[in-house]
Amino acid sequence: MSNVLTLKLSKPASNQRKLKKLCQWIDANIDKPIGWAELTEQSGMDHLELQRQFNTYMKSSPMQWIRFRRNELTQTLMAQAQRSQPQMPASLMLKTH
């Protein structure tokens, strides 16, 4: 009897849907701590498969992508805050000589 290596072949369309759903979940929970346990539970993939899928479709690791999304959110919120602050008229600004 010969040993046959059986490879678990991923279903690309199925994994892409899982990853899209996971990314939506990440965005909805971006303000909370997100670790590997949450990612594997939400995606239904194990750690290695999740890592592989992120590298394939997102060109980064899951944790890098989460940091990127948090950074994007921070920049967006800062830009919104700057736009919503009333501007002081130039005539009221303190002049320093």
Side-chain angles (χ1 to χ4, degrees):
M1 212 162 142
S2 64
N3 286 336
V4 177
L5 177 61
T6 305
L7 296 175
K8 178 182 165 188
L9 297 176
S10 301
K11 297 177 183 165
S14 173
N15 286 335
Q16 228 172 344
R17 281 191 299 275
K18 283 181 183 180
L19 201 56
K20 182 178 180 179
K21 188 175 176 182
L22 179 62
C23 289
Q24 291 169 343
W25 178 86
I26 290 169
D27 282 343
N29 292 278
I30 200 73
D31 59 334
K32 300 176 183 98
I34 301 173
W36 282 106
E38 292 80 14
L39 293 174
T40 56
E41 181 180 328
Q42 288 298 317
S43 69
M45 293 184 244
D46 65 31
H47 180 110
L48 292 175
E49 184 64 17
L50 187 57
Q51 186 82 16
R52 241 186 321 260
Q53 296 306 316
F54 257 88
N55 285 332
T56 299
Y57 295 110
M58 309 305 278
K59 306 298 182 215
S60 72
S61 73
M63 295 308 171
Q64 287 172 324
W65 193 81
I66 291 169
R67 281 190 296 273
F68 171 76
R69 296 296 291 156
R70 285 182 173 150
N71 188 39
E72 273 189 332
L73 178 62
T74 300
Q75 289 176 357
T76 301
L77 292 174
M78 287 173 58
Q80 288 173 351
Q82 286 176 341
R83 283 193 300 269
S84 68
Q85 289 179 354
Q87 295 297 317
M88 186 183 307
S91 61
L92 297 178
M93 293 180 128
L94 230 67
K95 295 182 181 178
T96 57
H97 297 282

